[in-house]
Amino acid sequence: MQENEILVKEQLNEVVMKFVIYKPLVARAARAGQFVILRGRDGGERVPVTLVDWDEKAGTITVIIQSIGKSTFMFNSLKQGDCFLNILGPLGTAVEMKNYGTVAVIGGGVGIAEVYPIAKALKAIGNKVISILGARTKSLLILEEQMRAVSDETICCTDDGSYGQKGMVTDALKACVNSGEKIAAGFVIGPIPMMKFTSKLMVELGIEPYASLNPIMLDGTGMCGGCRVSVEGKVRFACVDGPMFPARTIDFDELIRRTGEYKLQEKTAVEKFEKDHQCKLGLH
Ligand SMILES: Cc1cc2nc3c(=O)[nH]c(=O)nc-3n(C[C@H](O)[C@H](O)[C@H](O)COP(=O)(O)OP(=O)(O)OC[C@H]3O[C@@H](n4cnc5c(N)ncnc54)[C@H](O)[C@@H]3O)c2cc1C
Ligand code: FES
């Protein structure tokens, strides 16, 4: 067994892989809400991914990666026994753990994996945890069993109604509050528009909202300014001040604009990667 080695690789659905990696120093220091920066090869991109789970005794960390572009396609093609080139972390500020009473933990798509350690830690200190999991369709809804194990109640929603309730996480949250639940705080991770509208709804429902932001990150240590976000009208760096922030005053529209700035380059990189990959496989 060597540092950064993939000990277990598991496919969770057509685009999402789970990796258990040998990384004892990170496993020893990890806290809920933190992340690592991965590189697959020399000259490769630096990719932030959430620490989903860790086992200090075994010296392992678990990350869950959705194939979305060139780097994540490459990572998800690694095999058991392969090694990541570097793993930097744990990075970011851990989520402050408090006993709120009842909390809502809301994950959308691969955001379910990112919110899992927060649900687990909030439950461990005695909160009543209501988890609301959302996905476009049944096959994209991940970690239901694991979320149920760390929640008092788990509600699954799919946009197309193929599993659980038909509709969005906001509908489920509203129904929960209307049924009499007194929720003090809510933690949401998922696509930016989902986090924007869920945070807005939480404010309307009297729930203190928190959202984990995913701007483009480079160094992950507060030096490059790439991950700049606006919270309470102030500039904050998501890699050191976050990624979880109180969500009442996050400028989500600025975040959407900034994460979309490199769409053209990202598209070109994927097209080149697919072409090279197919050539290597002798497909054309
Ligand atoms: C704190 C944090 C935690 C994250 N946790 C997870 C996780 O647990 N699992 C997971 O699958 N994804 C996670 N992400 C998102 C992941 O970092 C991006 O999907 C990945 O960087 C995309 O790289 P790519 O080359 O495959 O795609 P690209 O085609 O390069 O980009 C696709 C989209 O990913 C985002 N992105 C691109 N580069 C970066 C970068 N360097 N930093 C941040 N976002 C980027 C942009 O929105 C971009 O439009 C997290 C992001 C942050 C900031
Ligand atoms: S990633 Fe460079 S300052 Fe945050």
Side-chain angles (χ1 to χ4, degrees):
M1 198 149 51
Q2 50 179 321
E3 191 101 343
N4 302 348
E5 182 179 336
I6 298 167
L7 303 182
V8 179
K9 179 183 179 184
E10 186 188 335
Q11 180 151 13
L12 301 187
N13 64 38
E14 58 261 47
V15 284
V16 178
M17 300 287 175
K18 170 178 156 182
F19 296 96
V20 179
I21 306 163
Y22 186 61
K23 192 71 185 172
L25 284 179
V26 177
R28 197 182 303 161
R31 297 287 175 273
Q34 292 187 300
F35 64 97
V36 287
I37 286 191
L38 302 177
R39 273 204 318 155
R41 61 174 172 82
D42 214 10
E45 250 185 328
R46 301 162 63 85
V47 176
V49 292
T50 302
L51 282 159
V52 175
D53 213 347
W54 48 91
D55 181 335
E56 191 179 339
K57 221 162 137 211
T60 59
I61 58 169
T62 300
V63 297
I64 292 185
I65 301 178
Q66 170 161 279
S67 298
I68 185 170
K70 182 183 166 187
S71 299
T72 47
F73 278 127
M74 278 172 54
F75 291 170
N76 283 354
S77 66
L78 292 171
K79 296 185 281 302
Q80 191 172 320
D82 289 344
C83 290
F84 284 92
L85 180 68
N86 330 110
I87 301 178
L88 173 70
L91 299 170
T93 299
V95 173
E96 191 192 350
M97 284 297 144
K98 282 203 285 200
N99 205 321
Y100 292 93
T102 302
V103 292
V105 173
I106 303 168
V110 76
I112 298 170
E114 299 174 52
V115 97
Y116 166 79
I118 294 165
K120 187 177 170 186
L122 285 166
K123 175 76 182 150
I125 58 162
N127 286 283
K128 175 176 176 184
V129 175
I130 300 174
S131 291
I132 304 177
L133 318 180
R136 266 187 292 121
T137 191
K138 183 180 178 189
S139 64
L140 298 178
L141 201 128
I142 56 172
L143 301 192
E144 181 189 349
E145 202 184 304
Q146 290 85 341
M147 286 299 290
R148 283 194 187 280
V150 296
S151 309
D152 294 273
E153 196 183 326
T154 304
I155 304 160
C156 297
C157 321
T158 48
D159 295 356
D160 64 2
S162 53
Y163 188 68
Q165 300 179 7
K166 183 176 187 325
M168 290 185 284
V169 292
T170 42
D171 302 325
L173 180 63
K174 235 184 279 176
C176 229
V177 170
N178 289 341
S179 75
E181 284 291 355
K182 298 266 177 289
I183 302 171
F187 298 82
V188 59
I189 311 187
I192 304 169
M194 173 223 169
M195 292 197 285
K196 174 180 168 177
F197 290 110
T198 308
S199 300
K200 188 167 173 280
L201 175 66
M202 286 200 259
V203 173
E204 287 163 15
L205 296 174
I207 301 169
E208 200 51 50
Y210 295 87
S212 183
L213 303 187
N214 56 344
I216 291 179
M217 293 186 178
L218 298 175
D219 62 297
T221 58
M223 288 190 284
C224 71
C227 68
R228 166 168 74 76
V229 290
S230 299
V231 184
E232 290 170 344
K234 294 190 193 109
V235 170
R236 310 295 300 274
F237 290 161
C239 68
V240 286
D241 301 322
M244 186 70 84
F245 290 99
R248 279 177 184 271
T249 56
I250 291 172
D251 187 342
F252 284 106
D253 296 328
E254 178 193 60
L255 181 62
I256 291 170
R257 265 197 317 277
R258 282 178 56 77
T259 51
E261 263 170 30
Y262 301 100
K263 283 275 175 254
L264 188 63
Q265 289 88 339
E266 288 157 2
K267 186 167 169 276
T268 311
V270 170
E271 283 166 0
K272 185 171 180 313
F273 174 73
E274 282 176 349
K275 198 162 159 241
D276 293 351
H277 215 63
Q278 282 170 342
C279 285
K280 275 194 201 115
L281 294 171
L283 297 177
H284 70 111

